[in-house]
Amino acid sequence: MWLYLNDKYVEHDKATISPFDRGFLFSDGIYEVVRSYPPRGFFQIEAHLERMRYGLEQLRIGGMDISKVRPIIEELLARNGHKSSQAIAYIQVTRGAYFPRQHFFPPPSTPPTLLISTSPFKPHAEEIEKGVQVLLEKDIRWSRCDIKTIALLPNILSRQRAVEQGVCETIWSRDGFITEGTHTNFCAVKGGVLLTPRKSNFILSGVTRQVVLHMCGTLNIPCSETSINESELGEFDECMIVGTTTEVTPVVKINELTIKDGMPGEITRRIQKELYRKIAGE
Ligand SMILES: Cc1ncc(COP(=O)(O)O)c(C=O)c1O
């Protein structure tokens, strides 16, 4: 499998990273995940690259030319034979390698480390069709969740507990209000209105979330970016998690609480259908 690392295409088993890379030592970096759907190609790649630009700016990581990312992904998809099936590109940028280890930034001449890989992706068809159960836990993350950093320990631990319980995702609440999932944003429907936590430093501004809000306009579904108290969960007619890998997945159970009749709802279905139309470029 071909990767792109530090200005070169390399076979994965020949790729090496410095032990002093700040991604390795401090999780000092950001990442993105972009999905490609043949024959149309990437979905919303510009929005993903824009979020990357924002993250780099917020973390003050310089020296990264984002315009080269797209052609590199194209080349990797071709070299890895992922052009004709659905695939994921993983892009990671760290503040580079520097010795001696120090918390403060290395000299500005230190180049960032750019890693890009691609892998085939199998859609989660059954989950998308039947809906899923999720766990609800306390959100213990820092307060800059708007940056897609590679520091993901709370996400890893919450997702692992979900996997151990045989469910697919954990959503979080902070001070009693729903924030998001470990790798998804959360939406609910009440009285025909789609609700989703408003953009803040406590959630990632999801590309799929933004697409869903836009599609609500097209579909004439009223929507509101608002606060969602966890005590309201029992009042929702529908719930869903949305994200690049999850697309729009109905949530039919949260911990032991069954949402409505435990079946994916009508508005969720309309949004799913519209998403696939959009992905197909209709
Ligand atoms: C914490 C978190 N929230 C939301 C999302 C969904 O974002 P997107 O729709 O851009 O994939 C992700 C995606 O990985 C995520 O990690």
Side-chain angles (χ1 to χ4, degrees), residues 129-154:
E129 180 54 31
K130 293 190 179 151
V132 297
Q133 180 179 358
V134 300
L135 303 186
L136 173 64
E137 292 186 348
K138 281 209 179 336
D139 195 338
I140 60 161
R141 295 175 302 162
W142 74 330
S143 48
R144 287 306 307 273
C145 305
D146 54 318
I147 308 172
K148 199 167 167 65
T149 79
I150 55 174
L152 290 171
L153 269 177

Side-chain angles (χ1 to χ4, degrees), residues 31 48 51 148 180-185 204 206-208 242-244:
Y31 76 105
H48 285 280
R51 185 169 62 193
K148 199 167 167 65
E180 61 182 338
T182 68
H183 65 303
T184 56
N185 288 111
L204 186 76
V207 170
T208 318
V242 306
T244 297

Side-chain angles (χ1 to χ4, degrees), residues 177-233:
F177 291 93
I178 303 296
T179 51
E180 61 182 338
T182 68
H183 65 303
T184 56
N185 288 111
F186 180 78
C187 302
V189 177
K190 186 174 168 183
V193 181
L194 182 127
L195 310 169
T196 194
R198 68 169 64 87
K199 257 198 210 177
S200 75
N201 51 311
F202 293 124
I203 69 165
L204 186 76
S205 176
V207 170
T208 318
R209 171 188 179 279
Q210 214 52 48
V211 169
V212 166
L213 289 174
H214 186 259
M215 291 189 309
C216 283
T218 316
L219 296 170
N220 282 322
I221 298 169
C223 61
S224 168
E225 295 177 70
T226 182
S227 307
I228 299 182
N229 196 299
E230 62 180 293
S231 64
E232 290 173 77
L233 291 174

Side-chain angles (χ1 to χ4, degrees), residues 205-278:
S205 176
V207 170
T208 318
R209 171 188 179 279
Q210 214 52 48
V211 169
V212 166
L213 289 174
H214 186 259
M215 291 189 309
C216 283
T218 316
L219 296 170
N220 282 322
I221 298 169
C223 61
S224 168
E225 295 177 70
T226 182
S227 307
I228 299 182
N229 196 299
E230 62 180 293
S231 64
E232 290 173 77
L233 291 174
E235 299 162 20
F236 292 144
D237 303 316
E238 303 179 32
C239 291
M240 57 199 104
I241 46 175
V242 306
T244 297
T245 52
T246 321
E247 298 173 332
V248 172
T249 296
V251 171
V252 294
K253 204 167 172 189
I254 302 176
N255 287 348
E256 290 315 309
L257 173 77
T258 301
I259 304 302
K260 209 68 181 184
D261 56 3
M263 304 282 281
E266 184 220 319
I267 289 185
T268 307
R269 288 291 188 229
R270 284 175 63 202
I271 292 172
Q272 284 180 327
K273 208 164 145 198
E274 184 64 17
L275 178 67
Y276 293 123
R277 275 167 44 87
K278 210 170 158 63

